[in-house]
Amino acid sequence: MCEGRRWQTRSREQTVEQTVIDGEINKGKESRVILRSCCNATGEMILTNQNTKSGQKIHYETNQKLFKTVDKKLHSMLPKALPWSKGLLGHCAVVGSGGILQNSSCGAEIDNADYIIRFNLGPVTNSKDVGNKTHLMTINPSQIRGYPNLTKDPQPLANRVAVYGNASLLLPAFSYQFSTGLSLDVYHSLQPLRPNQKVVFFNPNFMLNLDRKWKGQGLKEPRLSTGLMLASVAMELCEEVHIYGFWPFSLDLNHNPLPHHYYDNVGPNKGVHSMPDEFLLLLKLHTQGVLQLHLGRC
């Protein structure tokens, strides 16, 4: 009889545990459906031959009165399809640049993911902490300006991106007008030197819809960070989402000082993003089981 009671107790505990797990899975699925219905990274995150037609007008994200007409040359630069068109991506790692990654020993765990997203040409030299595998890497237009002779001498940029293997390079070519020429220069400069490394462009409509979605839930910053954008993409496209290096504070959880980035201590431009507010949003999603924030040593 006592054995029976113990068995029943364990059974109830297992039921509660399974209910919690199922709740987290359902919350993740719910977020995936919401993001797909509002923003559709599945079919719209980057410009492709499938979602962009020759002769179409691409309106700029930050000024809808301005547009770029897709000519045959631009259309030929777009990929035929999205890299995830065959289904969910599985276990994804979204790797920010926060100083919290220093001495984290998270590199092996990050590299074990099925799909790895990184930002703004973040270095992967310290592979013990940040790993070195990359599938998608963003480039900020301001970084391209660091290569003023790009069209005449593309080798320095080619050498820099070579460390990411054949990762796709993602640029916001149609956020601002000045971004377009810089982004197209990256494409034309790298294509002869690194033909297997795709240069792809954010779809400004996707960025607008994502902006409306999060601002509708209380964010008041002028622009979403690229980090929150790609974390949102991962929430829609991945079965599991693991977030590393997202920590906008100068002290870690044990009150030890941290640099702003794991590779330098250069702070952000003021008045553009609201990183603490974005972090609180991600923390809320973490507590709901939608994603997993990693804030300590691995």
Side-chain angles (χ1 to χ4, degrees), residues 39-298:
C39 310
N40 190 21
T42 307
E44 301 289 339
M45 195 268 273
I46 62 175
L47 296 172
T48 69
N49 286 162
Q50 292 181 352
N51 60 35
T52 309
K53 306 300 180 186
S54 185
Q56 177 179 329
K57 294 178 180 179
I58 300 175
H59 291 266
Y60 283 87
E61 177 204 353
T62 55
N63 188 341
Q64 290 283 285
K65 294 180 180 179
L66 302 176
F67 61 86
K68 169 82 172 174
T69 301
V70 180
D71 55 23
K72 290 183 179 179
K73 185 176 181 181
L74 175 56
H75 195 256
S76 68
M77 296 166 59
L78 305 180
K80 292 181 179 179
L82 291 147
W84 43 79
S85 57
K86 294 181 180 179
L88 292 178
L89 292 174
H91 174 166
C92 296
V94 183
V95 187
S97 301
I100 200 166
L101 276 171
Q102 277 194 357
N103 303 313
S104 67
S105 298
C106 287
E109 188 174 301
I110 290 169
D111 281 349
N112 195 45
D114 300 314
Y115 197 84
I116 301 167
I117 299 169
R118 300 181 191 271
F119 303 96
N120 296 333
L121 300 177
V124 290
T125 48
N126 185 2
S127 59
K128 179 183 177 183
D129 289 337
V130 303
N132 53 34
K133 291 182 181 178
T134 310
H135 297 91
L136 183 67
M137 172 64 77
T138 70
I139 303 180
N140 192 307
S142 63
Q143 293 179 299
I144 306 169
R145 287 175 165 169
Y147 299 86
N149 299 316
L150 182 58
T151 54
K152 294 181 180 179
D153 184 19
Q155 196 63 56
L157 180 60
N159 292 343
R160 184 168 181 183
V161 300
V163 300
Y164 309 118
N166 290 329
S168 296
L169 304 176
L170 175 63
L171 295 99
F174 302 101
S175 288
Y176 299 91
Q177 275 191 306
F178 78 85
S179 302
T180 305
L182 293 171
S183 300
L184 298 184
D185 284 348
V186 171
Y187 178 94
H188 292 302
S189 300
L190 292 181
Q191 189 181 37
L193 299 175
R194 300 191 57 76
N196 294 324
Q197 190 152 42
K198 293 182 179 179
V199 176
V200 296
F201 308 129
F202 260 123
N203 184 338
N205 287 334
F206 168 79
M207 299 171 83
L208 267 175
N209 289 331
L210 198 60
D211 183 80
R212 293 190 188 107
K213 186 260 187 301
W214 289 127
K215 287 183 177 176
Q217 295 192 7
L219 283 182
K220 294 182 173 63
E221 57 191 343
R223 286 182 60 76
L224 302 183
S225 72
T226 310
L228 180 57
M229 290 181 189
L230 271 296
S232 302
V233 168
M235 282 185 267
E236 180 182 334
L237 298 178
C238 305
E239 293 178 352
E240 290 182 42
V241 181
H242 294 259
I243 307 286
Y244 302 84
F246 280 57
W247 182 256
F249 309 112
S250 58
L251 300 175
D252 66 15
L253 290 168
N254 296 316
H255 298 281
N256 297 310
L258 292 172
H260 185 69
H261 298 128
Y262 66 82
Y263 50 85
D264 67 31
N265 198 27
V266 178
N269 295 327
K270 293 183 178 180
V272 180
H273 307 305
S274 180
M275 297 302 192
D277 290 338
E278 289 191 358
F279 176 79
L280 290 176
L281 173 63
L282 293 173
L283 184 61
K284 179 180 178 181
L285 293 167
H286 169 83
T287 60
Q288 293 173 344
V290 176
L291 53 80
Q292 293 186 49
L293 274 173
H294 296 263
L295 302 176
R297 291 178 61 84
C298 293

